């Protein structure tokens, strides 16, 4: 490997992000442009607006990250980009940019799975982390429990049957009139009270499977709010109850998954891993060593893409040609087949 710097590009949803990772020195720089303000008025991500914004930001952000890291584009030896899962129009922007740059610089491009990137950032942060380990991957679009047996080796143990945990946070926040994205808003509001008079359901908690379900929580939250006096104190209590219900459901299944697998290491990944109450509850576990990436690496970022690309690059694995093969749905369990 002559050149040892890899560029990471993330455009799967509403964040345009670039990172430069050096095989020897580690992370050189990472930058992120969030479109949240643009989507807030709509209460969620509008795919067409997301793509248009990525188009505007992609090249300027790439130049900025090169400047920040004092790296010339010609020093880049490989380019990792998010191939999926994600919004197809948004993915297309990052992938097209990556492929064009790979052609111009005559370096390989590496299509990365966004979910795998969320997991592997834990290995970047904790190089001593050994396989196998359990991962709770909880983001805006996914909630799953995975057995991680090696690079690219993921066995799905359980997943949500309806809404993802982040989606449940976002939808309940919307019902309470809180701005998008709701997870962090619920968490902030919940931290202003220390108990709640509401009790919300925890579906499937006693079910033997390792699956989750959050759709009933939305309806229960809506009814509880409609039937309450709707004061700001009650809003905070309901936010507390929502957070408690989501976290309890996750924690119960993590406990069961650790029992079933006998694994002694747990990684918590994805945007919802930023939730401090979830961190607090899981930290009390004495059955496993727990790895939480720092919050800025839990939510979408390009370091995770650069690092994942680097791991495959090390193994001599990269895209075979310049065609765009996006995978807007790309299950982790099928990774080795790609
Ligand atoms: O991984 P991510 O940044 O994007 C996806 O790939 O989906 O996750 C975003 C999700 C959103 O649903 C957001 O509300 C949630 O993560 N989230 C949180 C917190 N920070 C972000 N949920 C609960 N508590 C938080 N502190
Ligand atoms: Zn994500």
């Amino acid at each position: 490997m002559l050149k040892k710097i890899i560029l990471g590009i993330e455009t799967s949803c509403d964040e345009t992000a670039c990172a430069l990772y050096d095989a020897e020195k580690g992370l050189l720089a990472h930058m992120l442009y969030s479109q949240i303000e643009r989507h807030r008025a709509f209460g969620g991500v509008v795919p067409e607006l997301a793509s248009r914004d990525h188009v505007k930001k992609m090249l300027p952000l790439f130049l900025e990250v090169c400047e920040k890291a004092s790296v010339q584009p010609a020093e880049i030896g490989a380019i990792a980009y998010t191939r999926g899962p994600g919004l197809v129009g948004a993915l297309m922007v990052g992938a097209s940019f990556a492929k064009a740059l790979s052609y111009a610089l005559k370096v390989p491009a590496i299509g990365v799975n966004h979910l795998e990137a969320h997991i592997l950032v834990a290995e970047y942060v904790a190089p001593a982390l050994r396989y196998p380990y359990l991962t709770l991957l909880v983001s805006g679009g996914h909630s799953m429990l995975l057995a991680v047996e090696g690079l690219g080796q993921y066995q799905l143990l359980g997943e949500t049957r309806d809404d993802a945990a982040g989606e449940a946070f976002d939808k309940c926040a919307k019902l309470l009139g809180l701005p998008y994205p709701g997870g962090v808003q619920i968490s902030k509001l919940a931290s202003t009270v220390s108990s709640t008079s509401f009790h919300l359901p925890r579906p499937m908690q006693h079910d033997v499977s390792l699956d989750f379900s959050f759709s009933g929580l939305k309806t229960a939250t809506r009814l509880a709010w409609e039937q309450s006096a709707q004061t700001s104190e009650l809003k905070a209590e309901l936010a507390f109850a929502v957070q408690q219900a989501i976290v309890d459901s996750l924690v119960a299944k993590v406990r069961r998954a650790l029992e079933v697998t006998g694994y002694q290491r747990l990684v918590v990944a994805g945007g919802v891993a930023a939730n401090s109450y979830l961190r607090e509850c899981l930290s009390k576990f004495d059955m496993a060593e727990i790895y939480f990436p720092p919050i800025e690496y839990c939510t979408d970022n390009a370091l995770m893409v650069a690092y994942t690309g680097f791991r495959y690059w090390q193994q001599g694995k990269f895209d075979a040609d310049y065609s765009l093969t996006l995978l807007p749905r790309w299950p982790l369990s099928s990774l080795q087949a790609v």
Side-chain angles (χ1 to χ4, degrees), residues 114 118 139 300 304:
H114 180 86
H118 269 302
S139 69
D300 288 350
M304 66 185 199

Side-chain angles (χ1 to χ4, degrees), residues 10 12-13 114-115 118 139-142 270-271 298-301 304:
E10 158 62 30
S12 68
C13 190
H114 180 86
L115 303 175
H118 269 302
S139 69
H142 298 86
C298 287
T299 46
D300 288 350
N301 65 85
M304 66 185 199

Side-chain angles (χ1 to χ4, degrees), residues 275-326:
N275 185 273
S276 47
Y277 183 62
L278 175 67
R279 287 174 176 243
E280 188 189 318
C281 291
L282 289 174
S283 300
K284 290 181 190 146
F285 271 33
D286 52 9
M287 336 157 57
E289 266 173 68
I290 312 200
Y291 296 84
F292 291 108
I295 287 176
E296 64 172 324
Y297 302 154
C298 287
T299 46
D300 288 350
N301 65 85
L303 161 65
M304 66 185 199
V305 178
Y307 179 71
T308 303
F310 165 69
R311 297 285 298 273
Y312 282 95
W313 189 31
Q314 266 185 321
Q315 296 196 346
K317 291 182 182 161
F318 36 82
D319 292 4
D321 55 41
Y322 292 113
S323 65
L324 287 192
T325 47
L326 300 173

Side-chain angles (χ1 to χ4, degrees), residues 5-8 17-22 25-32 61-71 124 296-297 301-304 306:
I5 296 175
I6 184 163
L7 167 70
C18 281
L20 287 164
Y21 180 89
D22 183 299
K25 297 182 196 151
L27 178 65
L28 299 178
H30 82 117
M31 297 187 77
L32 182 143
L61 199 70
F62 164 65
L63 296 173
E64 271 183 69
V65 84
C66 286
E67 198 180 318
K68 191 172 172 192
S70 303
V71 165
Y124 163 75
E296 64 172 324
Y297 302 154
N301 65 85
L303 161 65
M304 66 185 199

